[in-house]
Amino acid sequence: MNVLETRELKKIYKTPSGEVRALDGVSISVEDGAFVSITGSSGSGKTTLLNMLGGLDNPTCGRVIVRGRDIGRLENDELTVFRRRNIGFVFQNYNLVPVLNVYENIVLPLHLDGREADAEFLDRIIDTLKLREKLDSMPHMLSGGQQQRVAIARALSAKPAVILADEPTGNLDSVTGMEVVGLMKAGAAMFHQTIVLVTHNEEIAQMTDSIIRIEDGKVRGGWNEKQ
């Protein structure tokens, strides 16, 4: 079953020199529980696509459907609540709240939604991501790799339909980056999470179940290990 799909998605910017088609008719589908990477050169449209998938930007035309809901039809307040409950984000710069400790950062999405944490589920996430000894630490006390693990734990904690990760290893060294993606893959399998990851790193992309290649705003092929 598809948890996420786009239909003829377009994003067109008007510039003094003419139109820029950041996305030009992109139609993709992602199955529930899949770990997918989106790759392409700089300026290919991959981050624009990720922003559309997360409802962070609006397409010029086309549809984004998450868990059967066309998010383009939601009012702003509806979209905010839907996004908080169904979409988790992992960014290159971690985006942790500096005045909250590790545990508080992890459960923040739940508290914003007025929900209590599933203690057993949270314990499994914390142990899987090797954060047990860091729960009382503040973000500035952590290494880059540890901060990214906290960001992943935060995204997992709300049990979203899909997690969107934008260059999550961009600020990490190669060894730490591979470790973080390995933990994401393990978490996806263990907690049956769907993850869509944007990366320009081919080695990272090869760790995922399937690859969607974007160039000039169009899908230019891909690879699926299940084919």
Side-chain angles (χ1 to χ4, degrees):
M1 183 182 72
N2 292 334
V3 69
L4 174 67
E5 59 183 300
T6 68
R7 298 177 185 172
E8 289 297 317
L9 205 60
K10 295 184 180 182
K11 183 66 175 181
I12 302 170
Y13 296 99
K14 304 286 187 180
T15 71
S17 57
E19 288 186 348
V20 175
R21 292 178 173 264
L23 295 177
D24 193 9
V26 172
S27 296
I28 65 170
S29 59
V30 178
E31 291 184 0
D32 189 25
F35 186 20
V36 178
S37 57
I38 300 173
T39 67
S41 57
S42 178
S44 62
K46 58 186 186 295
T47 295
T48 301
L49 175 57
L50 199 77
N51 288 339
M52 300 292 168
L53 297 179
L56 300 177
D57 196 2
N58 297 315
T60 303
C61 60
R63 302 171 68 190
V64 177
I65 299 168
V66 180
R67 230 176 211 170
R69 297 288 301 275
D70 184 343
I71 64 174
R73 296 178 180 272
L74 300 177
E75 298 293 335
N76 286 340
D77 289 346
E78 286 182 296
L79 177 59
T80 298
V81 173
F82 182 85
R83 188 167 50 214
R84 190 165 61 225
R85 294 178 178 175
N86 292 278
I87 304 172
F89 295 94
V90 180
F91 298 103
Q92 180 175 335
N93 293 321
Y94 323 131
N95 284 18
L96 302 181
V97 180
V99 296
L100 301 181
N101 65 26
V102 166
Y103 180 81
E104 291 165 338
N105 266 283
I106 291 172
V107 299
L108 181 60
L110 293 165
H111 288 175
L112 289 174
D113 202 33
R115 291 187 286 160
E116 292 297 322
D118 178 334
E120 183 178 347
F121 183 69
L122 207 59
D123 279 344
R124 291 175 65 199
I125 292 172
I126 288 165
D127 289 336
T128 299
L129 294 173
K130 305 173 185 176
L131 292 170
R132 179 66 60 188
E133 305 303 317
K134 300 293 183 180
L135 293 180
D136 294 325
S137 300
M138 305 303 287
H140 73 272
M141 301 167 64
L142 307 178
S143 67
Q146 289 169 337
Q147 289 187 63
Q148 195 58 292
R149 281 191 252 154
V150 176
I152 294 166
R154 180 180 59 191
L156 287 166
S157 68
K159 302 180 182 178
V162 60
I163 292 172
L164 304 177
D166 189 8
E167 297 282 6
T169 63
N171 287 333
L172 307 177
D173 63 76
S174 58
V175 173
T176 304
M178 295 293 282
E179 177 188 350
V180 165
V181 174
L183 288 169
M184 291 180 74
K185 186 168 187 174
M190 183 176 296
F191 307 119
H192 197 68
Q193 294 286 342
T194 304
I195 298 179
V196 179
L197 177 153
V198 160
T199 182
H200 66 276
N201 186 318
E202 188 65 27
E203 195 173 5
I204 295 293
Q206 291 295 332
M207 294 177 67
T208 64
D209 300 331
S210 59
I211 299 171
I212 298 169
R213 299 192 188 280
I214 302 285
E215 290 297 341
D216 300 320
K218 295 179 178 289
V219 175
R220 299 295 189 183
W223 167 85
N224 190 322
E225 72 170 9
K226 297 175 183 177
Q227 292 179 341

